Amino acid sequence: MPNTKFLLAEDRIPTTWYNVIPDLPGGLPPMLHPGTKEPITEADLEPLFPAELIAQEFSTDREVDIPGAVIDIYRQWRPAPLIRARRLEQALDTPARIYFKYEGVSPAGSHKPNTAVPQAYYNKRAGVERLITETGAGQWGSSLALACSYFGLACEVYMVKVSYQQKPYRRGLMETFGASVTASPSELTAAGRAALAADPDSTGSLGLAISEAVEVAAASGGSAKYALGSVLNHVLMHQTIIGQEALLQMELADDYPDIVIGAAGGGSNFGGLALPFLREQLGGGRSVRAIAVEPSSCPTMTKGGYEYDFGDTAGLTPLTKMHTLGHDFVPPGIHAGGLRYHGMAPIISALKEADLLEARAVPQTACFEAGVTFARNEGIVPAPESTHAVRAAIDEALKAKEEGAERSILFTLSGHGHFDMQAYIDYFAGKLQD
Amino acid sequence: MPNTKFLLAEDRIPTTWYNVIPDLPGGLPPMLHPGTKEPITEADLEPLFPAELIAQEFSTDREVDIPGAVIDIYRQWRPAPLIRARRLEQALDTPARIYFKYEGVSPAGSHKPNTAVPQAYYNKRAGVERLITETGAGQWGSSLALACSYFGLACEVYMVKVSYQQKPYRRGLMETFGASVTASPSELTAAGRAALAADPDSTGSLGLAISEAVEVAAASGGSAKYALGSVLNHVLMHQTIIGQEALLQMELADDYPDIVIGAAGGGSNFGGLALPFLREQLGGGRSVRAIAVEPSSCPTMTKGGYEYDFGDTAGLTPLTKMHTLGHDFVPPGIHAGGLRYHGMAPIISALKEADLLEARAVPQTACFEAGVTFARNEGIVPAPESTHAVRAAIDEALKAKEEGAERSILFTLSGHGHFDMQAYIDYFAGKLQD
Ligand SMILES: Cc1ncc(COP(=O)(O)O)c(C=O)c1O
Ligand SMILES: Cc1ncc(COP(=O)(O)O)c(C=O)c1O
């Protein structure tokens, strides 16, 4: 019987991350200072990040060593399995071979710890005592909480108020890992107070929570730094461990993907899978169709402009050139909280402009339908974010069937939906809107 | 760097289950018919179970083949990892080596699918259309729902009403897998109506939900059968896949446990790990201390008598000789719902009488304390049931430290706590009672 799972031994965890920047056609437009509008320097970022992460953000090295202490933690769940979705293939009666890289095996349930762990590590090494961050649905907050507990750092999470109220269990998870969680907007920051003054009933937004977290870190005098869970170059680089493992695992499966697919919020999950495959292509190896999937209600890549914009609502962050719906765009309250972001990683945006990836927008009910099909065949209930990749993978498999074409499809199942069951309940009750 | 996880390839999934009955000193007292009090025959069980499961229940073969169709589903997550808890060891500063077999990687999040899958398979093969069962906290119900979705069987779950109300997400999970869920006591059965007549506000109990499920299956005329998630011989046998894999994995780790530990509700999780190790011992191999851990508020083995009793409240099931607190015992509402059962598997009870295992009762706050320590070091939030094993493992590791003794400790982490975060929230809020 051929294998269903393609597992790698721990000693095959990649020892370097892949930095795509030197391979980007045309390079990456510089970040600009929010005040001067001049290209920022490493020094400009010092209030927010430790030196090693800043160096990574600007690095033009193609490969960056993964510290041993980080690998020792990755070992707890990595290499993450690559699984052939044989039952789903049968149910779809498709000639396509469908594989998924399952990042939900991480302790926080998503790909986010891949970057949370090194971020906590570099901060710890730099003598930082507290990490401050924001979280929407809670995947990133719980990942950073976990990483901080590994390294003995305090962790403070500004959680978008609507999620804080609707997702007490994600909050419970962060607290179990030892973090403190504050509903955003809060009275603790100028940005929060301004938002509450404008609207005392504000339920918050990710952009606003970022403003709060950045403000607290910047004002700490160095004892606290800020951590971001997506978008930035160093975050995408950390996530390339996904695709690098997948390359080895596709070899084990004696196959190679024609198509790679990932849900894209800020772009790190999609990039994590796709970048190592694009590297092969750019280096003259096999080419691959890379499909980044976003919600049609927050169509950053498919409808947003490619321009300089802020990462947060208050305009405290540097300006980055990216696909954006505008930093004051407030996305509708879809369940895929991790995809409700107005911008997109500069790296992913640049690849899109260079026609090295396809962007696709899908409506949420079609995603949940795909998620339920996946759950009933593969057993795993996908996170709402991940259902976007499942939808695209199923659509590609059905297209292969229509065309009678054998085809190999690989997607990241970026997380499980154990903390998102309300979304499925609402879906079954017919309460979801597109 | 030595390994943290000990993984087996799929082709090393054991191909047989281990049946301990022929190795039980003194054998197993027969089940008695609830009416006649005579030993029951295979025919007596036919209204409830398909022939192949009945044959397994009475089997005296030491090894029973696992059907290929079952192994094909096991492959989706099995072999389950065996993990060395290195960070926990460091945190405890113990000379003990601590390993856990992590069953939370199954799609339903616990060890229960190990038996749900073969049960669904044998029923499907026998032409059964619907499986009826009960569930407390929902681990078993979601496992059977999953297994039924794999084999295209309808699944009806009677869920103890208090859990039905308090655990909408477990219910959502069952529904995502395609099951229908009814709060018990219900108006659909005589047992349920009697309970509601006696107390219209009854929040139910596991024993009562069993009565309802058994009644529905028995009255179906053969289209529906009943499925039980623990206690019975065939269930314990299916779970031995845990210990059989662990034996191979301890070999990979070049170690052998001095102590094996499992939380015991009906006994299948503990038995699943311990029986294959006891087999080695009974066959003249290395001996092992086997510790079954139960809640001090439901002390079946440590305080219950060893006598014939019913498995359910209404007295519809056969009588089995076991440790029991009485079939009308209503355990306090601790969060470890899977450990709130008045009886214990006859096999585990007989082993206890033969002094082949130790029973230990632990209070719930001490368990959650251990669960939080585990989560902050190993990243995984244990199910409330599983925290009982974590508590005992930590206590044994601390004892080893006190005694300055190197010692190898292995426990089953039978499930994750993703659907039990309210329990942790209550624990942090100081709301838990012992
Ligand atoms: C499960 C899951 N998948 C995908 C995403 C989107 O990730 P990214 O921002 O890296 O694109 C998120 C973000 O929170 C997530 O939680
Ligand atoms: C996670 C978990 N562990 C342990 C148990 C106890 O299992 P058993 O009845 O097999 O002893 C249960 C029962 O539901 C459970 O859900």
Side-chain angles (χ1 to χ4, degrees), chain B residues 110-112 139 229-230 263-270 338-339 383 385-386 414-415:
Chain B
S110 78
H111 64 297
K112 299 279 180 185
Q139 291 272 24
S230 189
S268 72
N269 161 56
F270 167 75
L339 307 184
E385 293 83 1
S386 310
S414 47

Side-chain angles (χ1 to χ4, degrees), chain B residues 183-256:
Chain B
S184 167
S186 79
E187 293 286 352
L188 304 180
T189 67
R193 286 188 296 270
L196 289 171
D199 174 10
D201 298 327
S202 163
T203 53
S205 74
L206 206 51
L208 181 56
I210 296 179
S211 299
E212 293 209 272
V214 164
E215 183 185 327
V216 172
S220 75
S223 64
K225 300 272 179 195
Y226 170 69
L228 188 64
S230 189
V231 178
L232 296 178
N233 302 339
H234 67 269
V235 177
L236 269 69
M237 184 181 79
H238 297 157
Q239 293 292 357
T240 58
I241 190 137
I242 301 173
Q244 295 200 93
E245 285 179 5
L247 270 167
L248 300 173
Q249 289 166 310
M250 289 303 299
E251 227 174 88
L252 278 185
D254 204 12
D255 204 344
Y256 196 87

Side-chain angles (χ1 to χ4, degrees), chain A residues 55 145 258 277 283 299 324 331 333-334 407:
Chain A
D258 299 298
F277 287 93
T324 174
I334 56 167
R407 205 166 276 160

Side-chain angles (χ1 to χ4, degrees), chain A residues 32-211:
Chain A
L32 304 182
H33 191 282
T36 64
K37 307 276 153 51
E38 292 297 315
I40 59 163
T41 61
E42 304 204 5
D44 290 327
L45 293 179
E46 267 167 27
L48 297 185
F49 303 108
E52 288 190 88
L53 287 175
I54 297 173
Q56 289 183 359
E57 188 63 21
F58 286 93
S59 172
T60 53
D61 294 342
R62 194 166 274 113
E63 283 179 333
V64 173
D65 280 330
I66 307 180
V70 170
I71 292 187
D72 273 354
I73 290 187
Y74 280 171
R75 284 169 192 281
Q76 293 198 338
W77 71 93
R78 304 208 73 83
L82 183 119
I83 302 177
R84 172 108 181 247
R86 293 188 189 277
R87 294 179 49 88
L88 180 64
E89 290 171 14
Q90 275 166 29
L92 301 175
D93 189 24
T94 174
R97 298 179 299 283
I98 307 177
Y99 300 87
F100 60 98
K101 176 78 171 163
Y102 186 33
E103 292 291 326
V105 296
S106 87
S110 78
H111 64 296
K112 298 279 179 186
N114 295 335
T115 183
V117 170
Q119 289 193 48
Y121 170 73
Y122 290 119
N123 275 285
K124 178 73 182 184
R125 280 246 311 215
V128 173
E129 291 157 22
R130 293 146 57 216
L131 276 181
I132 322 290
T133 198
E134 73 291 329
T135 200
Q139 291 272 25
W140 169 244
S142 48
S143 300
L144 193 70
L146 168 75
C148 286
S149 93
Y150 284 144
F151 290 108
L153 285 165
C155 181
E156 296 169 21
V157 183
Y158 286 82
M159 186 173 189
V160 177
K161 193 178 276 175
V162 58
S163 298
Y164 183 93
Q165 289 162 343
Q166 288 176 355
K167 304 218 159 195
Y169 296 160
R170 267 282 168 204
R171 183 162 33 112
L173 183 61
M174 291 184 253
E175 287 166 355
T176 300
F177 290 142
S180 72
V181 186
T182 304
S184 165
S186 78
E187 294 285 354
L188 304 180
T189 67
R193 287 188 296 270
L196 289 170
D199 174 9
D201 297 328
S202 164
T203 54
S205 75
L206 205 52
L208 182 55
I210 296 178
S211 299

